[in-house]
Amino acid sequence: MVKKIFAVSLLLILSGAAWADETPPVNDAKGVKHAYQANAIQEGNLTQAERELLLVIAEDPHNPYALLNMAYVYQQSGRNDQARILYERVLELRANPLAELPSGKPARVKRIAQRGITETGK
């Protein structure tokens, strides 16, 4: 049985609309926002988010939520090549857990990553 992990507070719309300036911080099913820097990203503190996310990724390089948030931080700070690398890492993961969208609908993290790659221009 595949364990479904729902993320909280993903501010990303995958209905075909562009991400615009919305931030997509994701969290685990327990709502551990600090681990994935959702609050820092929402507040625009990308430097803090980057610093903390790098620590999480160093500890767990296969964490799709940390990878997605770090990719988004890179994307928002104009580092599309680095963002694309992390989105591609998410696509290479064996796991493809769910993230909850603001609408309450779930989306697979790999779908979010694919959308991120599209948004970075390649």
Side-chain angles (χ1 to χ4, degrees):
M1 181 173 140
V2 176
K3 182 178 179 183
K4 294 182 180 180
I5 300 175
F6 289 92
V8 178
S9 142
L10 176 64
L11 300 176
L12 169 65
I13 300 173
L14 295 175
S15 63
W19 286 6
D21 290 328
E22 293 191 58
T23 58
V26 293
N27 295 301
D28 67 13
K30 298 175 187 172
V32 182
K33 293 183 179 186
H34 68 278
Y36 309 120
Q37 295 301 302
N39 289 339
I41 293 169
Q42 288 173 325
E43 294 167 2
N45 192 343
L46 300 181
T47 302
Q48 174 190 334
E50 180 175 351
R51 183 175 52 249
E52 298 299 325
L53 286 167
L54 287 172
L55 294 173
V56 173
I57 292 168
E59 206 171 291
D60 182 4
H62 304 294
N63 184 312
Y65 306 109
L67 291 170
L68 285 174
N69 283 356
M70 188 72 246
Y72 188 77
V73 167
Y74 285 154
Q75 187 177 349
Q76 291 302 297
S77 58
R79 295 175 280 174
N80 286 342
D81 290 339
Q82 289 176 287
R84 206 169 14 265
I85 289 168
L86 293 185
Y87 287 132
E88 289 170 358
R89 280 179 57 186
V90 172
L91 293 176
E92 292 170 358
L93 295 174
R94 173 174 268 174
N96 189 16
L98 290 168
E100 185 178 308
L101 302 174
S103 65
K105 294 181 182 180
R108 295 284 177 188
V109 295
K110 290 185 180 186
R111 182 175 178 202
I112 297 167
Q114 187 60 54
R115 180 64 185 215
I117 288 171
T118 300
E119 293 296 319
T120 59
K122 287 190 180 181

